[in-house]
Amino acid sequence: MTGTHQSTALVLFGVFVVVTLAIATWAGRERRGSAEEFYAGGRLFSPLENGFAIAGDYMSAASFLGISGLIALYGYDGMLYSVGFLVAWLVVLFLVAELVRNCGRFTLADVLVARLRERPVRIASGISSVTVSVLYLVAQMVGAGSLVALLLGGTGDRARGWTVVGVGALMVLYVTLGGMRATTWIQIVKAVLLMGGTITLTVLVLVRFHGDLSALLTTAADRSGHGRDFLAPGLKYGRDLTSRLDFVSLGLALVLGTAGLPHILARFYTVPTARAARRSAVWAIALIGGFYLMTIVLGFGAAAVLGGDAVRAAGSAGNTAVPLLSLDLGGGAGSAGGTILFAVVAAVAFATILAVVAGVTLASSASVAHDLYASLSRRGARGPHGEVAVARLAAAGTGAVAIGLGLLAQHLNVAFLVGLAFAVAASANLPVLLYTLFWRRFTTRGAVWSVYGGLVPAVLLVVLSPVVSGAPGAIFPGLDFALFPLENPGLVSVPAGFLAGWLGTRLSPRPADPAAHAETEVRALTGAGAA
């Protein structure tokens, strides 16, 4: 990477960081102090604004860098990530958006305690939400490390490590300075930049192949190193029975996980009504759908323009495929066009990471302060101002944990890491949410068992999987305690979460309160009494 590339991209990085810090400072001076302002931005955002913010929250480094890289490496099988991430929004739109906005205030636990005992449910939900958020943050940290390491000439783990630390520090600043208002505006700006950059690259890829998609796919297959197998299912997930089961597990996690992500659920509290929440989801689906269609073009474009060997040489996980593609499309290394386009794309990708980590950190700190602190500490009763102070401190703690794990997972694909976060969300958060909203006989014991019954198996199976040990690309390649053969635990942990909730309800010593369920049902469907 030439010095011109480095300096231009670093200047653009610096401009975006300064602008976003200015937004955070401005937002922090507007309406300070209240929990509603810090967690939900005063519920003043329009459906269009919130739709762009949701898209900005969802279109993460996993989408822009990870999915395109997987498609460049594995063709058809990599494309399944794009399909899974997009289809997941149908679950959010039809089952979650309006009901969550009507029943909750700031976090997932607010929905659950509308009809269940507060303390045990808040503690369980808070632990689960923080776990999911930290896993999601790790993926963004890894993406940032890969991007800046490429920018600085592939200087290795040291550059990646310092990048992870820097991103962690920035995300804490965004949350502590401006709360949800700052996070939302940063996400809106990022969504506009990302869509603009993705459209530009997609048009350039199509122009390179004269609009002929058949020529694009044929060239991608020829240069991938896999021939026609590149365009057929099975390259990554069809080698044997284990890989096929891994594919089913991944698909289950991706489709069901979005509806259990704390930072996505929190976005529905930033609009004034349930109708606005549904309209926000519709806007988000339109933006996200167009974006994921373009990532497919970029992934195959990277394989066709760069070749599979070049993508793997820059990083075995494929995280740098899109920046390298932009360099070639702009005119190649050393050209002015290549330098500018590479710098812009790298800056947009970095903006993507910063915006997403801000949203996830805010959701995590809200769970710590609003759910865990308020439930475990008697001082939680002192009021919302003390709770907001705890949330700001929790943001720093969450950042520190995410930085540590991000340093360990530097060589894993970011889309793959996000798939793990989705699996935990689908296992621990979605079952208890659906049971609470739709099962009349659901009890507090069922809720607690459902959360832990999905969370513990999901995390344990990840630890015992080839992701952590026993494989060349594992976090600890020199160790081998991989007892679970699948890389994604969703196939086992998602049914476990639903089964544990059903079993806990059946074995509960106290029956469900029919009046509380009726009240929750009316509130969920009509919005009566919603905050």
Side-chain angles (χ1 to χ4, degrees):
M1 196 62 59
T2 65
T4 306
H5 289 114
Q6 294 178 15
S7 58
T8 305
L10 287 173
V11 167
L12 289 173
F13 281 5
V15 169
F16 183 81
V17 169
V18 170
V19 170
T20 51
L21 284 175
I23 292 173
T25 304
W26 162 77
R29 291 176 178 174
E30 299 282 332
R31 298 184 180 88
R32 287 188 175 182
S34 73
E36 184 175 64
E37 176 62 31
F38 185 78
Y39 295 139
R43 309 188 198 280
L44 299 175
F45 292 100
S46 69
L48 177 60
E49 291 170 340
N50 198 44
F52 267 88
I54 291 173
D57 228 347
Y58 196 69
M59 297 184 303
S60 64
S63 304
F64 191 55
L65 301 177
I67 293 178
S68 299
L70 284 174
I71 294 173
L73 293 175
Y74 300 107
Y76 182 96
D77 281 11
M79 188 175 66
L80 296 173
Y81 275 86
S82 292
V83 176
F85 281 135
L86 179 56
V87 171
W89 272 96
L90 298 178
V91 179
V92 176
L93 178 63
F94 291 116
L95 293 180
V96 170
E98 280 193 33
L99 305 184
V100 164
R101 175 60 188 85
N102 284 337
C103 290
R105 292 185 66 226
F106 306 128
T107 64
L108 169 64
D110 288 336
V111 180
L112 309 181
V113 300
R115 55 171 293 205
L116 303 170
R117 284 194 294 125
E118 185 162 351
R119 192 171 187 271
V121 171
R122 280 201 184 277
I123 292 173
S125 178
I127 291 173
S128 173
S129 295
V130 171
T131 303
V132 173
S133 297
V134 168
L135 285 173
Y136 206 93
L137 284 173
V138 169
Q140 311 311 312
M141 301 291 193
V142 171
S146 298
L147 187 67
V148 174
L150 173 67
L151 175 68
L152 298 180
T155 51
D157 292 345
R158 186 174 182 181
R160 294 172 186 262
W162 280 112
T163 301
V164 168
V165 173
V167 171
L170 284 171
M171 77 185 186
V172 173
L173 272 177
Y174 291 145
V175 173
T176 55
L177 285 175
M180 181 57 86
R181 283 174 62 82
T183 299
T184 299
W185 283 111
I186 290 170
Q187 287 160 346
I188 291 171
V189 171
K190 167 255 173 146
V192 173
L193 291 175
L194 183 59
M195 289 298 291
T198 307
I199 290 170
T200 301
L201 289 180
T202 301
V203 169
L204 289 175
V205 169
L206 294 176
V207 168
R208 174 72 65 93
F209 291 91
H210 309 290
D212 189 344
L213 292 177
S214 178
L216 169 63
L217 296 176
T218 301
T219 306
D222 292 340
R223 301 201 63 196
S224 67
H226 300 290
R228 290 295 175 179
D229 291 341
F230 190 70
L231 303 179
L235 188 59
K236 180 174 175 61
Y237 294 111
R239 298 185 304 273
D240 48 34
L241 178 60
T242 299
S243 63
R244 293 187 183 99
L245 290 176
D246 222 347
F247 163 68
V248 176
S249 188
L250 173 66
L252 190 65
L254 294 181
V255 171
L256 298 181
T258 300
L261 293 175
H263 66 289
I264 296 298
L265 296 176
R267 292 243 51 94
F268 295 119
Y269 301 132
T270 63
V271 290
T273 64
R275 182 170 181 267
R278 178 174 282 273
R279 291 175 61 195
S280 297
V282 173
W283 276 109
I285 289 174
L287 293 167
I288 291 167
F291 173 76
Y292 281 120
L293 288 175
M294 290 187 287
T295 61
I296 296 174
V297 176
L298 296 184
F300 283 111
V305 173
L306 303 173
D309 291 340
V311 173
R312 280 184 285 272
S316 59
N319 295 328
T320 56
V322 169
L324 289 175
L325 174 64
S326 68
L327 182 62
D328 192 287
L329 293 174
S335 67
T339 298
I340 294 172
L341 190 58
F342 172 86
V344 169
V345 169
V348 168
F350 198 66
T352 296
I353 292 165
L354 291 180
V356 172
V357 297
V360 179
T361 304
L362 180 60
S364 177
S365 62
S367 294
V368 172
H370 189 62
D371 298 330
L372 296 177
Y373 175 75
S375 299
L376 295 173
S377 174
R378 293 181 179 179
R379 292 178 295 176
R382 290 187 178 181
H385 297 289
E387 189 177 296
V388 170
V390 172
R392 297 182 195 275
L393 292 175
T398 301
V401 173
I403 287 170
L405 293 176
L407 292 174
L408 289 174
Q410 291 182 55
H411 300 288
L412 298 179
N413 181 274
V414 289
F416 169 74
L417 288 170
V418 166
L420 297 183
F422 273 58
V424 177
S427 305
N429 291 345
L430 184 63
V432 69
L433 179 60
L434 295 182
Y435 277 145
T436 300
L437 293 173
F438 298 110
W439 190 15
R440 185 181 303 274
R441 289 186 290 177
F442 194 50
T443 64
T444 298
R445 174 178 285 186
V448 174
W449 283 28
S450 181
V451 172
Y452 292 129
L455 177 64
V456 174
V459 174
L460 183 62
L461 292 177
V462 170
V463 173
L464 298 178
S465 74
V467 175
V468 176
S469 71
I475 294 176
F476 302 111
L479 302 176
D480 188 359
F481 46 87
L483 304 178
F484 182 66
L486 305 183
E487 294 183 343
N488 191 292
L491 187 62
V492 175
S493 58
V494 173
F498 280 101
L499 178 61
W502 176 84
L503 189 61
T505 297
R506 291 296 184 184
L507 299 179
S508 179
R510 297 182 182 179
D513 184 351
H517 174 267
E519 181 181 349
T520 302
E521 187 175 38
V522 171
R523 182 172 167 182
L525 295 176
T526 67

PDB file of all heavy atoms in Angstrom, residues 126-156:
ATOM      1  N   GLY A 126     -30.880  -9.219  31.063  1.00  0.00           N
ATOM      2  CA  GLY A 126     -29.730  -8.317  31.023  1.00  0.00           C
ATOM      3  C   GLY A 126     -28.441  -9.052  30.714  1.00  0.00           C
ATOM      4  O   GLY A 126     -27.625  -8.607  29.892  1.00  0.00           O
ATOM      5  N   ILE A 127     -28.243 -10.200  31.339  1.00  0.00           N
ATOM      6  CA  ILE A 127     -27.036 -10.996  31.081  1.00  0.00           C
ATOM      7  C   ILE A 127     -26.996 -11.443  29.618  1.00  0.00           C
ATOM      8  O   ILE A 127     -25.964 -11.370  28.945  1.00  0.00           O
ATOM      9  CB  ILE A 127     -26.996 -12.216  32.025  1.00  0.00           C
ATOM     10  CG1 ILE A 127     -26.767 -11.752  33.471  1.00  0.00           C
ATOM     11  CG2 ILE A 127     -25.910 -13.197  31.601  1.00  0.00           C
ATOM     12  CD1 ILE A 127     -26.879 -12.852  34.499  1.00  0.00           C
ATOM     13  N   SER A 128     -28.129 -11.904  29.123  1.00  0.00           N
ATOM     14  CA  SER A 128     -28.199 -12.356  27.733  1.00  0.00           C
ATOM     15  C   SER A 128     -27.919 -11.216  26.760  1.00  0.00           C
ATOM     16  O   SER A 128     -27.153 -11.369  25.799  1.00  0.00           O
ATOM     17  CB  SER A 128     -29.575 -12.956  27.457  1.00  0.00           C
ATOM     18  OG  SER A 128     -29.731 -13.250  26.094  1.00  0.00           O
ATOM     19  N   SER A 129     -28.534 -10.059  27.000  1.00  0.00           N
ATOM     20  CA  SER A 129     -28.353  -8.926  26.089  1.00  0.00           C
ATOM     21  C   SER A 129     -26.912  -8.452  26.050  1.00  0.00           C
ATOM     22  O   SER A 129     -26.375  -8.129  24.977  1.00  0.00           O
ATOM     23  CB  SER A 129     -29.283  -7.775  26.510  1.00  0.00           C
ATOM     24  OG  SER A 129     -30.635  -8.136  26.362  1.00  0.00           O
ATOM     25  N   VAL A 130     -26.266  -8.419  27.209  1.00  0.00           N
ATOM     26  CA  VAL A 130     -24.865  -7.993  27.246  1.00  0.00           C
ATOM     27  C   VAL A 130     -23.984  -8.991  26.501  1.00  0.00           C
ATOM     28  O   VAL A 130     -23.068  -8.608  25.749  1.00  0.00           O
ATOM     29  CB  VAL A 130     -24.395  -7.826  28.707  1.00  0.00           C
ATOM     30  CG1 VAL A 130     -22.885  -7.609  28.764  1.00  0.00           C
ATOM     31  CG2 VAL A 130     -25.117  -6.660  29.367  1.00  0.00           C
ATOM     32  N   THR A 131     -24.260 -10.286  26.658  1.00  0.00           N
ATOM     33  CA  THR A 131     -23.470 -11.310  25.965  1.00  0.00           C
ATOM     34  C   THR A 131     -23.584 -11.168  24.452  1.00  0.00           C
ATOM     35  O   THR A 131     -22.579 -11.198  23.730  1.00  0.00           O
ATOM     36  CB  THR A 131     -23.938 -12.715  26.388  1.00  0.00           C
ATOM     37  OG1 THR A 131     -23.834 -12.847  27.813  1.00  0.00           O
ATOM     38  CG2 THR A 131     -23.099 -13.789  25.716  1.00  0.00           C
ATOM     39  N   VAL A 132     -24.814 -11.009  23.964  1.00  0.00           N
ATOM     40  CA  VAL A 132     -25.021 -10.842  22.523  1.00  0.00           C
ATOM     41  C   VAL A 132     -24.308  -9.584  22.025  1.00  0.00           C
ATOM     42  O   VAL A 132     -23.652  -9.595  20.973  1.00  0.00           O
ATOM     43  CB  VAL A 132     -26.525 -10.771  22.201  1.00  0.00           C
ATOM     44  CG1 VAL A 132     -26.746 -10.432  20.728  1.00  0.00           C
ATOM     45  CG2 VAL A 132     -27.204 -12.097  22.529  1.00  0.00           C
ATOM     46  N   SER A 133     -24.440  -8.502  22.769  1.00  0.00           N
ATOM     47  CA  SER A 133     -23.839  -7.235  22.350  1.00  0.00           C
ATOM     48  C   SER A 133     -22.320  -7.335  22.270  1.00  0.00           C
ATOM     49  O   SER A 133     -21.702  -6.834  21.321  1.00  0.00           O
ATOM     50  CB  SER A 133     -24.240  -6.117  23.323  1.00  0.00           C
ATOM     51  OG  SER A 133     -25.633  -5.913  23.313  1.00  0.00           O
ATOM     52  N   VAL A 134     -21.713  -7.987  23.248  1.00  0.00           N
ATOM     53  CA  VAL A 134     -20.254  -8.110  23.241  1.00  0.00           C
ATOM     54  C   VAL A 134     -19.794  -8.945  22.051  1.00  0.00           C
ATOM     55  O   VAL A 134     -18.817  -8.595  21.366  1.00  0.00           O
ATOM     56  CB  VAL A 134     -19.764  -8.724  24.571  1.00  0.00           C
ATOM     57  CG1 VAL A 134     -18.292  -9.119  24.470  1.00  0.00           C
ATOM     58  CG2 VAL A 134     -19.956  -7.726  25.713  1.00  0.00           C
ATOM     59  N   LEU A 135     -20.488 -10.049  21.758  1.00  0.00           N
ATOM     60  CA  LEU A 135     -20.129 -10.862  20.597  1.00  0.00           C
ATOM     61  C   LEU A 135     -20.240 -10.048  19.300  1.00  0.00           C
ATOM     62  O   LEU A 135     -19.393 -10.156  18.405  1.00  0.00           O
ATOM     63  CB  LEU A 135     -21.028 -12.095  20.516  1.00  0.00           C
ATOM     64  CG  LEU A 135     -20.731 -13.222  21.510  1.00  0.00           C
ATOM     65  CD1 LEU A 135     -21.817 -14.291  21.426  1.00  0.00           C
ATOM     66  CD2 LEU A 135     -19.363 -13.831  21.239  1.00  0.00           C
ATOM     67  N   TYR A 136     -21.280  -9.243  19.203  1.00  0.00           N
ATOM     68  CA  TYR A 136     -21.468  -8.417  18.012  1.00  0.00           C
ATOM     69  C   TYR A 136     -20.364  -7.370  17.899  1.00  0.00           C
ATOM     70  O   TYR A 136     -19.864  -7.075  16.797  1.00  0.00           O
ATOM     71  CB  TYR A 136     -22.842  -7.738  18.084  1.00  0.00           C
ATOM     72  CG  TYR A 136     -23.428  -7.380  16.746  1.00  0.00           C
ATOM     73  CD1 TYR A 136     -24.296  -8.251  16.091  1.00  0.00           C
ATOM     74  CD2 TYR A 136     -23.135  -6.170  16.133  1.00  0.00           C
ATOM     75  CE1 TYR A 136     -24.847  -7.926  14.864  1.00  0.00           C
ATOM     76  CE2 TYR A 136     -23.676  -5.839  14.906  1.00  0.00           C
ATOM     77  CZ  TYR A 136     -24.536  -6.720  14.277  1.00  0.00           C
ATOM     78  OH  TYR A 136     -25.076  -6.396  13.058  1.00  0.00           O
ATOM     79  N   LEU A 137     -19.975  -6.806  19.038  1.00  0.00           N
ATOM     80  CA  LEU A 137     -18.904  -5.805  19.029  1.00  0.00           C
ATOM     81  C   LEU A 137     -17.576  -6.400  18.594  1.00  0.00           C
ATOM     82  O   LEU A 137     -16.785  -5.750  17.895  1.00  0.00           O
ATOM     83  CB  LEU A 137     -18.758  -5.192  20.426  1.00  0.00           C
ATOM     84  CG  LEU A 137     -19.823  -4.175  20.838  1.00  0.00           C
ATOM     85  CD1 LEU A 137     -19.655  -3.793  22.304  1.00  0.00           C
ATOM     86  CD2 LEU A 137     -19.757  -2.942  19.960  1.00  0.00           C
ATOM     87  N   VAL A 138     -17.321  -7.636  18.995  1.00  0.00           N
ATOM     88  CA  VAL A 138     -16.067  -8.279  18.622  1.00  0.00           C
ATOM     89  C   VAL A 138     -15.928  -8.339  17.100  1.00  0.00           C
ATOM     90  O   VAL A 138     -14.861  -8.091  16.543  1.00  0.00           O
ATOM     91  CB  VAL A 138     -15.985  -9.695  19.235  1.00  0.00           C
ATOM     92  CG1 VAL A 138     -14.815 -10.474  18.641  1.00  0.00           C
ATOM     93  CG2 VAL A 138     -15.832  -9.604  20.748  1.00  0.00           C
ATOM     94  N   ALA A 139     -17.038  -8.648  16.416  1.00  0.00           N
ATOM     95  CA  ALA A 139     -16.999  -8.718  14.956  1.00  0.00           C
ATOM     96  C   ALA A 139     -16.611  -7.373  14.351  1.00  0.00           C
ATOM     97  O   ALA A 139     -15.823  -7.303  13.395  1.00  0.00           O
ATOM     98  CB  ALA A 139     -18.357  -9.165  14.419  1.00  0.00           C
ATOM     99  N   GLN A 140     -17.164  -6.291  14.897  1.00  0.00           N
ATOM    100  CA  GLN A 140     -16.844  -4.960  14.363  1.00  0.00           C
ATOM    101  C   GLN A 140     -15.378  -4.608  14.619  1.00  0.00           C
ATOM    102  O   GLN A 140     -14.714  -3.988  13.784  1.00  0.00           O
ATOM    103  CB  GLN A 140     -17.752  -3.903  14.993  1.00  0.00           C
ATOM    104  CG  GLN A 140     -19.238  -4.231  14.979  1.00  0.00           C
ATOM    105  CD  GLN A 140     -19.732  -4.671  13.627  1.00  0.00           C
ATOM    106  OE1 GLN A 140     -19.457  -4.048  12.600  1.00  0.00           O
ATOM    107  NE2 GLN A 140     -20.480  -5.771  13.605  1.00  0.00           N
ATOM    108  N   MET A 141     -14.875  -5.007  15.786  1.00  0.00           N
ATOM    109  CA  MET A 141     -13.468  -4.744  16.101  1.00  0.00           C
ATOM    110  C   MET A 141     -12.548  -5.467  15.112  1.00  0.00           C
ATOM    111  O   MET A 141     -11.548  -4.917  14.637  1.00  0.00           O
ATOM    112  CB  MET A 141     -13.153  -5.230  17.522  1.00  0.00           C
ATOM    113  CG  MET A 141     -13.984  -4.593  18.596  1.00  0.00           C
ATOM    114  SD  MET A 141     -13.582  -2.854  18.807  1.00  0.00           S
ATOM    115  CE  MET A 141     -14.408  -2.535  20.345  1.00  0.00           C
ATOM    116  N   VAL A 142     -12.884  -6.713  14.809  1.00  0.00           N
ATOM    117  CA  VAL A 142     -12.065  -7.483  13.877  1.00  0.00           C
ATOM    118  C   VAL A 142     -12.084  -6.839  12.491  1.00  0.00           C
ATOM    119  O   VAL A 142     -11.059  -6.757  11.807  1.00  0.00           O
ATOM    120  CB  VAL A 142     -12.564  -8.938  13.812  1.00  0.00           C
ATOM    121  CG1 VAL A 142     -11.870  -9.702  12.686  1.00  0.00           C
ATOM    122  CG2 VAL A 142     -12.324  -9.635  15.144  1.00  0.00           C
ATOM    123  N   GLY A 143     -13.257  -6.365  12.068  1.00  0.00           N
ATOM    124  CA  GLY A 143     -13.350  -5.678  10.787  1.00  0.00           C
ATOM    125  C   GLY A 143     -12.491  -4.434  10.739  1.00  0.00           C
ATOM    126  O   GLY A 143     -11.805  -4.160   9.740  1.00  0.00           O
ATOM    127  N   ALA A 144     -12.516  -3.666  11.816  1.00  0.00           N
ATOM    128  CA  ALA A 144     -11.691  -2.452  11.871  1.00  0.00           C
ATOM    129  C   ALA A 144     -10.211  -2.801  11.808  1.00  0.00           C
ATOM    130  O   ALA A 144      -9.425  -2.145  11.113  1.00  0.00           O
ATOM    131  CB  ALA A 144     -11.998  -1.676  13.152  1.00  0.00           C
ATOM    132  N   GLY A 145      -9.812  -3.852  12.530  1.00  0.00           N
ATOM    133  CA  GLY A 145      -8.410  -4.253  12.521  1.00  0.00           C
ATOM    134  C   GLY A 145      -7.938  -4.678  11.146  1.00  0.00           C
ATOM    135  O   GLY A 145      -6.849  -4.302  10.704  1.00  0.00           O
ATOM    136  N   SER A 146      -8.771  -5.460  10.438  1.00  0.00           N
ATOM    137  CA  SER A 146      -8.400  -5.914   9.089  1.00  0.00           C
ATOM    138  C   SER A 146      -8.260  -4.743   8.134  1.00  0.00           C
ATOM    139  O   SER A 146      -7.341  -4.684   7.305  1.00  0.00           O
ATOM    140  CB  SER A 146      -9.468  -6.881   8.561  1.00  0.00           C
ATOM    141  OG  SER A 146      -9.551  -8.030   9.367  1.00  0.00           O
ATOM    142  N   LEU A 147      -9.177  -3.786   8.249  1.00  0.00           N
ATOM    143  CA  LEU A 147      -9.184  -2.641   7.343  1.00  0.00           C
ATOM    144  C   LEU A 147      -7.942  -1.782   7.517  1.00  0.00           C
ATOM    145  O   LEU A 147      -7.256  -1.426   6.553  1.00  0.00           O
ATOM    146  CB  LEU A 147     -10.446  -1.815   7.590  1.00  0.00           C
ATOM    147  CG  LEU A 147     -10.717  -0.671   6.624  1.00  0.00           C
ATOM    148  CD1 LEU A 147     -11.025  -1.219   5.242  1.00  0.00           C
ATOM    149  CD2 LEU A 147     -11.893   0.165   7.135  1.00  0.00           C
ATOM    150  N   VAL A 148      -7.627  -1.456   8.754  1.00  0.00           N
ATOM    151  CA  VAL A 148      -6.493  -0.559   8.992  1.00  0.00           C
ATOM    152  C   VAL A 148      -5.167  -1.283   8.770  1.00  0.00           C
ATOM    153  O   VAL A 148      -4.190  -0.680   8.322  1.00  0.00           O
ATOM    154  CB  VAL A 148      -6.589   0.039  10.409  1.00  0.00           C
ATOM    155  CG1 VAL A 148      -5.354   0.864  10.732  1.00  0.00           C
ATOM    156  CG2 VAL A 148      -7.834   0.911  10.511  1.00  0.00           C
ATOM    157  N   ALA A 149      -5.129  -2.588   9.051  1.00  0.00           N
ATOM    158  CA  ALA A 149      -3.907  -3.339   8.757  1.00  0.00           C
ATOM    159  C   ALA A 149      -3.613  -3.316   7.254  1.00  0.00           C
ATOM    160  O   ALA A 149      -2.468  -3.178   6.830  1.00  0.00           O
ATOM    161  CB  ALA A 149      -4.042  -4.775   9.249  1.00  0.00           C
ATOM    162  N   LEU A 150      -4.672  -3.448   6.433  1.00  0.00           N
ATOM    163  CA  LEU A 150      -4.492  -3.345   4.978  1.00  0.00           C
ATOM    164  C   LEU A 150      -4.016  -1.950   4.596  1.00  0.00           C
ATOM    165  O   LEU A 150      -3.112  -1.785   3.772  1.00  0.00           O
ATOM    166  CB  LEU A 150      -5.819  -3.659   4.283  1.00  0.00           C
ATOM    167  CG  LEU A 150      -5.847  -3.440   2.767  1.00  0.00           C
ATOM    168  CD1 LEU A 150      -4.938  -4.437   2.068  1.00  0.00           C
ATOM    169  CD2 LEU A 150      -7.273  -3.567   2.234  1.00  0.00           C
ATOM    170  N   LEU A 151      -4.608  -0.931   5.205  1.00  0.00           N
ATOM    171  CA  LEU A 151      -4.256   0.443   4.887  1.00  0.00           C
ATOM    172  C   LEU A 151      -2.788   0.737   5.197  1.00  0.00           C
ATOM    173  O   LEU A 151      -2.103   1.429   4.455  1.00  0.00           O
ATOM    174  CB  LEU A 151      -5.161   1.391   5.679  1.00  0.00           C
ATOM    175  CG  LEU A 151      -4.859   2.884   5.558  1.00  0.00           C
ATOM    176  CD1 LEU A 151      -5.166   3.352   4.153  1.00  0.00           C
ATOM    177  CD2 LEU A 151      -5.662   3.666   6.580  1.00  0.00           C
ATOM    178  N   LEU A 152      -2.317   0.172   6.302  1.00  0.00           N
ATOM    179  CA  LEU A 152      -0.948   0.445   6.725  1.00  0.00           C
ATOM    180  C   LEU A 152       0.055  -0.535   6.141  1.00  0.00           C
ATOM    181  O   LEU A 152       1.178  -0.637   6.608  1.00  0.00           O
ATOM    182  CB  LEU A 152      -0.865   0.419   8.259  1.00  0.00           C
ATOM    183  CG  LEU A 152      -1.724   1.471   8.975  1.00  0.00           C
ATOM    184  CD1 LEU A 152      -1.572   1.347  10.476  1.00  0.00           C
ATOM    185  CD2 LEU A 152      -1.354   2.881   8.524  1.00  0.00           C
ATOM    186  N   GLY A 153      -0.389  -1.279   5.129  1.00  0.00           N
ATOM    187  CA  GLY A 153       0.548  -2.158   4.450  1.00  0.00           C
ATOM    188  C   GLY A 153       0.668  -3.533   5.047  1.00  0.00           C
ATOM    189  O   GLY A 153       1.703  -4.184   4.917  1.00  0.00           O
ATOM    190  N   GLY A 154      -0.396  -3.988   5.743  1.00  0.00           N
ATOM    191  CA  GLY A 154      -0.375  -5.338   6.298  1.00  0.00           C
ATOM    192  C   GLY A 154       0.683  -5.520   7.359  1.00  0.00           C
ATOM    193  O   GLY A 154       1.401  -6.515   7.387  1.00  0.00           O
ATOM    194  N   THR A 155       0.814  -4.546   8.283  1.00  0.00           N
ATOM    195  CA  THR A 155       1.864  -4.591   9.287  1.00  0.00           C
ATOM    196  C   THR A 155       1.588  -5.602  10.392  1.00  0.00           C
ATOM    197  O   THR A 155       2.337  -5.700  11.335  1.00  0.00           O
ATOM    198  CB  THR A 155       2.050  -3.198   9.917  1.00  0.00           C
ATOM    199  OG1 THR A 155       0.787  -2.696  10.355  1.00  0.00           O
ATOM    200  CG2 THR A 155       2.643  -2.250   8.913  1.00  0.00           C
ATOM    201  N   GLY A 156       0.502  -6.349  10.257  1.00  0.00           N
ATOM    202  CA  GLY A 156       0.308  -7.477  11.157  1.00  0.00           C
ATOM    203  C   GLY A 156      -0.506  -7.164  12.385  1.00  0.00           C
ATOM    204  O   GLY A 156      -1.277  -6.205  12.448  1.00  0.00           O
TER     205      GLY A 156
END
